[in-house]
Amino acid sequence: DAGITQSPRHKVTETGTPVTLRCHQTENHRYMYWYRQDPGHGLRLIHYSYGVKDTDKGEVSDGYSVSRSKTEDFLLTLESATSSQTSVYFCAINRDNTEAFFGQGTRLTVV
Amino acid sequence: GIQVEQSPPDLILQEGANSTLRCNFSDSVNNLQWFHQNPWGQLINLFYIPSGTKQNGRLSATTVATERYSLLYISSSQTTDSGVYFCADYGGSQGNLIFGKGTKLSVKP
């Protein structure tokens, strides 16, 4: 257990509404990541952060933004949710640039 | 970027059987990890194994970095072993993990 908590765990939202997912870590790791998992695509990187206020885009960043105002929190925002963003979202940390640990996941459904 | 291939894609076992899962990489292995995604969707760390062999109970893993592959052994399988097994390594340009497509394991009682 690497002290990673995601919230909410499940969410159903309507198309066009903004949604924010939260990732909280308790171990002061520098690197944090947001992935999405979809059938047939595995886990793909959305955005990542290498420190407070330092973030960058991943492979599938369109339609998403992130913020990291504190070391322990990494927020993922869907500015205007679409059905294609229905997915399971995982937050991850990178311990000492070696082993990665994942949060429990957030199942998001956009209707 | 790095490509990760896992085999077999699906595996059905009777409880008590042994199995070997394989992971091949297109490039050098750096920080290989094995994960188990249980039926509830949680990603559980099994092994961090950039090289060599490790054992944890009924599970063991071997990585031969020079030949760019890793093996996960499951002995005396139990129904609780069911789920999807992923291998991954750091190969993305952003220092992110690149995952294989996984091996879906079903253990029947």
Side-chain angles (χ1 to χ4, degrees), chain B residues 4-70:
Chain B
V4 183
E5 290 188 7
Q6 289 189 243
S7 60
D10 296 279
L11 188 58
I12 300 174
L13 298 175
Q14 206 65 36
E15 198 169 27
N18 303 327
S19 62
T20 301
L21 283 57
R22 186 178 178 103
C23 191
N24 289 329
F25 292 84
S26 63
D27 207 338
S28 59
V29 176
N30 296 306
N31 292 291
L32 194 150
Q33 290 186 243
W34 282 97
F35 298 90
H36 174 217
Q37 188 164 37
N38 62 25
W40 295 270
Q42 289 180 293
L43 279 165
I44 309 298
N45 287 45
L46 295 177
F47 294 101
Y48 170 72
I49 185 165
S51 64
T53 298
K54 289 186 178 180
Q55 180 148 10
N56 185 2
R58 296 180 296 103
L59 274 60
S60 65
T62 294
T63 295
V64 184
T66 54
E67 298 187 23
R68 302 177 183 174
Y69 74 88
S70 184

Side-chain angles (χ1 to χ4, degrees), chain A residues 13-19 63-64 77-85 110:
Chain A
T13 192
E14 293 187 348
T15 298
T17 60
V19 177
Y64 301 94
T77 298
L78 290 65
E79 302 291 347
S80 178
T82 67
S83 59
S84 65
Q85 293 175 312
V110 183

Side-chain angles (χ1 to χ4, degrees), chain A residues 6-68:
Chain A
Q6 291 185 230
S7 59
R9 295 292 313 281
H10 303 270
K11 186 170 181 67
V12 179
T13 192
E14 293 187 348
T15 298
T17 60
V19 177
T20 296
L21 309 182
R22 180 181 183 237
C23 179
H24 178 79
Q25 57 138 334
T26 60
E27 296 185 354
N28 207 35
H29 296 289
R30 180 182 175 194
Y31 285 88
M32 298 183 74
Y33 303 82
W34 277 107
Y35 293 84
R36 59 178 288 174
Q37 184 178 28
D38 304 289
H41 292 279
L43 281 91
R44 294 178 292 173
L45 182 68
I46 306 171
H47 279 279
Y48 69 105
S49 169
Y50 44 96
V52 173
K53 293 186 170 36
D54 291 324
T55 65
D56 207 344
K57 297 179 179 180
E59 177 187 357
V60 290
S61 60
D62 287 349
Y64 301 94
S65 63
V66 289
S67 66
R68 192 165 178 203

